[in-house]
Amino acid sequence: LWGGNKGNDMLLDMVQGEAGLTRLKQRLQAQGGGFGFYNPSDDRVHYVVATENSKIVGLLGFLEKGDYDPDYIELVFCEVHGGHRRKGVAGGLVDEFMTMVAARAMPVTITPYEDDGVVGLQPLIQRYASQHGIHVHEQGLARDIASDPNFW
């Protein structure tokens, strides 16, 4: 369990395997919208999920083998349900993701800071990557946005 800012307990879970993905799809469909970057038809994406009172409140999507370089794990998106933003959910998701990445001793590539809900997370990602000793490679748009504080 991971405690959010207001004493709420968030449960973080890594979605693995076909059965886990099927359950995630069913849960998201049952609770209705709220996640614009989630694409149920992309079976390549793996997820870290934050739940509160059995409701999914945050998703972080990643590819085990990046589109740009298969030697990197690729962070695809991170999104928190509207009513749970600014409560530490994204930080918990990123920390859990970076812990998993560190255990695999793989670097991370990130491309979508602005488009896929990661824009405000660049400093968080860098902090957790540094704590876990993970190399983060920012490509294209991500690098441009990360170097310009006006975007975040």
Side-chain angles (χ1 to χ4, degrees):
L1 285 172
W2 171 78
N5 284 343
K6 299 198 177 197
N8 300 337
D9 287 330
M10 299 284 164
L11 180 62
L12 294 174
D13 191 20
M14 189 81 59
V15 174
Q16 298 180 4
E18 191 175 323
L21 189 57
T22 299
R23 283 192 303 276
L24 174 65
K25 288 178 183 181
Q26 291 169 342
R27 287 180 70 188
L28 285 169
Q29 187 175 29
Q31 82 178 43
F35 295 100
F37 298 115
Y38 169 72
N39 178 359
S41 64
D42 192 349
D43 290 335
R44 301 173 310 139
V45 179
H46 300 272
Y47 300 92
V48 180
V49 179
T51 58
E52 179 181 62
N53 300 324
S54 299
K55 181 179 180 188
I56 296 172
V57 297
L59 287 174
L60 181 145
F62 66 95
L63 299 176
E64 295 258 344
K65 293 181 183 261
D67 283 340
Y68 296 92
D69 188 335
D71 293 331
Y72 283 71
I73 292 177
E74 183 175 342
L75 176 58
V76 179
F77 73 89
C78 183
E79 189 169 7
V80 176
H81 196 272
H84 290 80
R85 293 186 182 142
R86 306 258 181 244
K87 296 181 180 179
V89 176
L93 290 167
V94 171
D95 186 31
E96 185 72 15
F97 171 69
M98 290 296 183
T99 299
M100 179 272 303
V101 171
R104 295 181 187 188
M106 292 184 70
V108 174
T109 187
I110 302 171
T111 55
Y113 280 129
E114 183 176 40
D115 295 337
D116 290 345
V118 188
V119 67
L121 293 181
Q122 198 271 346
L124 247 180
I125 289 168
Q126 291 301 327
R127 185 174 80 217
Y128 285 119
S130 176
Q131 287 175 358
H132 291 287
I134 298 167
H135 171 72
V136 176
H137 179 72
E138 298 166 342
Q139 294 196 21
L141 183 61
R143 184 175 51 247
D144 297 338
I145 291 169
S147 64
D148 186 350
N150 292 322
F151 283 104
W152 46 270

